[in-house]
Amino acid sequence: MFADDTKLYNRVKKDSTEGSDAIQDDLNQLKDWSDTWLLRFNVSKCKCMHLGNDNPERSYVLGEDEIMVAKEVKDLGVYITDDCKPSTQCTKAANKAMTSLRIIKRTFKYIDKESFSILYKAYVRPDVEYCVQAGSPYQVNDIKEIEKIQRATKACSKFKRKTLPGKASGTTSLPARRLRGDLIEVFKILNGLEDIKPEELFTMSHNTGTRGHSYKLFKKQLHKGLNLRKCFFSQRVIDTWNKLPADVVNVKTTNQFKGKIDKFWNKNGYGELKGLNL
């Protein structure tokens, strides 16, 4: 029997022990439960991560063993750090995708455009798109780290070096696909297709007006300097989502939404996404 990926969290403050005491009390209850049911916790695999500047960074114990403090943990394939920035996730994803590209290059002495496109979409692109809502890059260095995967498509012998990677491999640019993935996830959440309550991430806007759709989201005003917060999935996607027309949003299934948004962008263009074959 296993109980993996269990999280315990609470809000803590330096001037109060209430939050940290509650965490330790919950840990004590977990220990009592594990002793009762003879399902021992492996404390060496348990990690504690302190988040925020106002964190007292208290030590916690599970039974008699102190839980190790970690700056970085891997959670369901996504690397989470104590500064909440996606840099580590972007680097790990880019390295994994680059390894797949090298394997393709070593395996095939010559590969045409169509075959490379199939291999790229099946084995390379999923590495940099996995759970992109949680690890989408927004800093310049992180974006460059991911974009080097697109540039590496010139490794295919039939492609000219001056050809744009997206056109060469028959693929869409990664920024466009990240934005598309964000919008698809919003559609799923608002239509109850994910096990997530919409109000946990979004606030519906009451100012729908006569234009647009009835699923518009309210964008909260953030304090200046909170670049990290405004780049989170629940914030960065709102403006683009609200600009979509009603016939794109008011569909029943995810596949219908994908088809509508692809058709809308190809027909009308959408900033840098104009003309892309999504």
Side-chain angles (χ1 to χ4, degrees):
M1 296 177 64
F2 299 92
D4 291 341
D5 306 312
T6 301
K7 286 89 176 169
L8 177 63
Y9 64 92
N10 200 358
R11 187 186 298 272
V12 297
K13 294 183 179 180
K14 285 184 178 180
D15 56 357
S16 175
T17 61
E18 181 179 355
S20 55
D21 287 345
I23 292 178
Q24 185 58 61
D25 290 341
D26 288 340
L27 288 171
N28 295 338
Q29 292 184 51
L30 283 174
K31 181 64 169 60
D32 293 340
W33 176 88
S34 68
D35 291 339
T36 300
W37 293 97
L38 302 180
L39 184 61
R40 303 286 188 262
F41 284 100
N42 189 341
V43 183
S44 64
K45 292 185 177 181
C46 297
K47 301 292 187 295
C48 172
M49 179 175 288
H50 302 296
L51 305 175
N53 297 324
D54 193 31
N55 196 312
E57 299 190 5
R58 171 180 170 178
S59 297
Y60 300 96
V61 296
L62 189 59
E64 299 179 354
D65 300 316
E66 183 176 342
I67 299 177
M68 183 186 305
V69 177
K71 297 288 186 180
E72 167 190 313
V73 294
K74 186 178 181 181
D75 182 19
L76 298 177
V78 179
Y79 287 87
I80 309 297
T81 57
D82 58 357
D83 60 3
C84 293
K85 294 181 179 179
S87 300
T88 301
Q89 171 65 16
C90 293
T91 300
K92 298 287 187 180
N95 291 340
K96 187 176 180 180
M98 190 63 72
T99 299
S100 299
L101 275 175
R102 293 192 184 101
I103 293 175
I104 293 175
K105 185 178 179 180
R106 289 199 303 265
T107 304
F108 298 91
K109 293 183 178 180
Y110 174 81
I111 185 171
D112 58 26
K113 175 180 176 180
E114 182 179 357
S115 299
F116 181 79
S117 179
I118 294 173
L119 293 170
Y120 177 84
K121 293 176 182 179
Y123 296 105
V124 180
R125 195 165 65 185
D127 292 334
V128 294
E129 290 188 346
Y130 174 71
C131 206
V132 70
Q133 287 75 24
S136 182
Y138 63 89
Q139 294 181 319
V140 175
N141 290 337
D142 295 338
I143 294 174
K144 288 182 178 179
E145 189 73 22
I146 295 297
E147 285 301 314
K148 72 180 183 182
I149 303 302
Q150 287 282 50
R151 295 194 298 271
T153 57
K154 67 183 181 182
C156 184
S157 59
K158 191 175 180 179
F159 302 157
K160 297 180 180 179
R161 287 185 174 271
K162 294 183 179 181
T163 304
L164 291 176
K167 293 182 179 179
S169 60
T171 61
T172 306
S173 72
L174 294 177
R177 288 189 58 82
R178 288 196 294 268
L179 178 57
R180 182 177 184 265
D182 283 349
L183 294 174
I184 293 172
E185 190 63 24
V186 174
F187 176 83
K188 291 180 179 180
I189 293 173
L190 295 182
N191 285 273
L193 301 177
E194 296 279 22
D195 190 17
I196 301 174
K197 295 180 180 179
E199 56 269 21
E200 293 182 355
L201 292 176
F202 306 111
T203 300
M204 302 305 296
S205 175
H206 299 291
N207 185 21
T208 56
T210 57
R211 295 184 178 181
H213 53 83
S214 58
Y215 287 93
K216 286 188 176 181
L217 304 174
F218 174 74
K219 190 172 185 179
K220 300 177 181 178
Q221 295 296 325
L222 303 176
H223 297 291
K224 292 183 178 180
L226 291 180
N227 291 328
L228 177 65
R229 178 66 177 133
K230 75 178 183 180
C231 293
F232 278 2
F233 165 70
S234 58
Q235 289 291 317
R236 68 173 183 261
V237 73
I238 292 179
D239 288 338
T240 307
W241 172 263
N242 288 343
K243 291 178 182 178
L244 294 177
D247 66 306
V248 174
V249 176
N250 297 331
V251 293
K252 301 299 183 181
T253 67
T254 304
N255 286 335
Q256 288 177 343
F257 178 77
K258 291 178 180 179
K260 285 284 187 178
I261 196 173
D262 293 349
K263 184 177 180 180
F264 170 70
W265 274 346
N266 284 330
K267 180 179 180 181
N268 302 293
Y270 199 88
E272 64 176 6
L273 306 181
K274 185 176 182 179
L276 291 177
N277 181 19
L278 300 176

